[in-house]
Amino acid sequence: MANPSWSRRHIISLADFQPEEYDTVLQTAASFQEVLSRRTKKVPALQGQVIANLFFEPSTRTRSSFELAAKRLSADTLNFAPGTSSLTKGETILDTAKTYLAMGTDIMVVRHREAGVPLAIANEMDRLQSRVGVFNAGDGQHEHPSQALLDLFTLCMLLNPEKPALSLLAGKKIAIVGDILHSRVARSNIWSLTASGAEVHLAGPPTLLPKLFADFVSSPDSSINGIDRKLFLHWSLQPALEAADFVMTLRLQRERMTQHLLPSLREYHQQFGLTHNRLKWCNPTVKVLHPGPVNRGVEISSELMDDPKFSLISQQVTSGVAVRMALLYLMGSGKLS
Ligand code: CP
């Protein structure tokens, strides 16, 4: 059964996502969360469809939860490992995608360390007039839409588990702290969280939070849905954390740092590391998020990461399965109509 309110074949970016689309994802994910609480955690929604996980870059959470989500929807899954694939013999990425198309793939979930690869595959699928949907599972420093949507779902379910909705975050203060420059998670979260009416405060050292982020939400993309977005930049931690309702801390992506951007990890932790002590600046009910994987003791103390009073990190991973079921269902069910 197709969802009449869903018209996207591909999900590459959240820049032009509409509030109704966020709500459709949240409500569909809540239904699947209920399915996942049953004894039999499987539904026949995508029976007979083929979902290929094309991960050209390492992943634990995203890859496993997309695979589990597909299996819970009764789809057939194909997993691709670049090191043992014909990429090693010189096959191109587009020819790899066309090979999966020829096998009858319905949805391709694509991760690559270069920005733009999922879009290039989506464009090629459209050029070939196929009905394949392409999902961006993280491309370089560009976007990671499913991570931002599962973060949104985690927050909205905390605020109203009966009816999660984007508008629940209106007026909340949300801090995103750390290596913003290299973070596709931050970029997708900026789109989703500012669309909710929340105040989003970015904090990090100037080398990891360039001034150009001040213009991020006034880029031409953001005018598509005419949302009044509230984004603030800070080059120290305290103003971002003061009275914050939620704090998202990000991994220092040392593998993407081509220049010397930090004095030392110890100094970084002293200036921007999240600890119990620093949460005292926040709203007393503050909760902490991290997309993972975590550098324990660098962007967040080990004690805080493991403290269930504050940390939503495990819940984020759990939410990932229901949200990815919702996304695959919304993309895949349209193909059945
Ligand atoms: N958050 C995230 O994308 O984690 P993985 O790299 O493990 O998929």
Side-chain angles (χ1 to χ4, degrees):
M1 186 181 67
N3 185 314
S5 65
W6 195 261
S7 58
R8 282 179 197 267
R9 185 190 302 278
H10 311 298
I11 300 180
I12 305 295
S13 161
L14 298 184
D16 65 345
F17 249 58
Q18 305 290 326
E20 314 82 77
E21 291 179 287
Y22 287 112
D23 283 339
T24 300
V25 173
L26 291 171
Q27 283 148 26
T28 311
S31 308
F32 285 124
Q33 185 96 305
E34 188 276 318
V35 169
L36 293 173
S37 69
R38 294 181 198 160
R39 189 183 162 92
T40 303
K41 300 172 171 52
K42 209 160 172 149
V43 288
L46 296 188
Q47 205 160 35
Q49 292 208 36
V50 178
I51 296 176
N53 280 323
L54 306 182
F55 278 60
F56 298 89
E57 185 205 80
S59 162
T60 298
R61 292 150 201 77
T62 313
R63 180 185 171 130
S64 301
S65 62
F66 263 116
E67 183 175 356
L68 184 56
K71 286 180 166 154
R72 296 290 195 218
L73 293 167
S74 305
D76 296 317
T77 55
L78 295 171
N79 280 312
F80 160 85
T84 54
S85 76
S86 292
L87 276 185
T88 58
K89 301 175 196 163
E91 189 161 62
T92 67
I93 291 171
L94 289 184
D95 283 338
T96 302
K98 283 189 259 186
T99 302
Y100 279 90
L101 170 67
M103 279 186 251
T105 295
D106 296 284
I107 298 177
M108 295 181 189
V109 179
V110 181
R111 169 172 288 194
H112 199 282
R113 68 184 168 84
E114 299 296 338
V117 170
L119 178 62
I121 294 177
N123 288 341
E124 183 67 3
M125 292 300 124
D126 290 348
R127 191 186 67 78
L128 295 170
Q129 297 184 321
S130 84
R131 298 186 72 203
V132 167
V134 176
F135 199 101
N136 176 8
D139 63 331
Q141 299 174 27
H142 174 225
E143 285 213 39
H144 192 347
S146 65
Q147 179 68 46
L149 292 168
L150 74 87
D151 294 339
L152 184 70
F153 181 69
T154 305
L155 296 177
C156 294
M157 285 295 275
L158 192 72
L159 296 169
N160 186 348
E162 300 305 316
K163 199 164 188 281
L166 185 70
S167 58
L168 291 166
L169 291 175
K172 301 286 184 198
K173 178 172 177 179
I174 304 174
I176 304 179
V177 177
D179 184 358
I180 313 279
L181 174 66
H182 299 103
S183 179
R184 55 198 178 205
V185 174
R187 285 172 176 82
S188 287
N189 264 293
I190 289 171
W191 291 123
S192 55
L193 297 175
T194 57
S196 74
E199 275 189 15
V200 177
H201 292 252
L202 308 179
T207 46
L208 299 179
L209 177 54
K211 273 206 176 104
L212 60 89
F213 269 86
D215 300 328
F216 189 81
V217 295
S218 53
S219 68
D221 275 350
S222 65
S223 61
I224 291 171
N225 50 11
I227 291 170
D228 177 22
R229 298 174 188 266
K230 302 182 191 79
L231 186 71
F232 304 88
L233 272 62
H234 308 277
W235 291 281
S236 61
L237 194 55
Q238 188 166 350
L241 260 51
E242 275 168 356
D245 298 290
F246 300 106
V247 182
M248 180 181 297
T249 178
L250 301 170
R251 183 172 69 89
L252 272 186
Q253 300 195 29
R254 280 174 283 171
E255 75 278 15
R256 293 190 207 276
M257 292 184 191
T258 49
Q259 301 158 282
H260 195 68
L261 297 174
L262 289 171
S264 72
L265 295 183
R266 196 165 149 270
E267 205 167 317
Y268 176 81
H269 181 69
Q270 279 169 358
Q271 288 181 15
F272 289 97
L274 225 54
T275 61
H276 280 96
N277 200 32
R278 287 189 163 145
L279 289 191
K280 289 176 186 153
W281 291 324
C282 303
N283 184 326
T285 60
V286 69
K287 300 287 180 204
V288 172
L289 301 100
H290 190 306
V294 176
N295 297 304
R296 282 181 181 265
V298 179
E299 61 262 7
I300 184 168
S301 70
S302 222
E303 299 75 27
L304 181 56
M305 180 182 167
D306 295 333
D307 184 346
K309 180 172 177 232
F310 295 105
S311 174
L312 295 177
I313 297 172
S314 295
Q315 273 148 273
Q316 288 172 271
V317 176
T318 303
S319 296
V321 180
V323 168
R324 288 174 174 128
M325 282 176 81
L327 294 166
L328 293 175
Y329 171 76
L330 290 167
M331 287 171 75
S333 59
K335 297 165 68 67
L336 304 175
S337 59

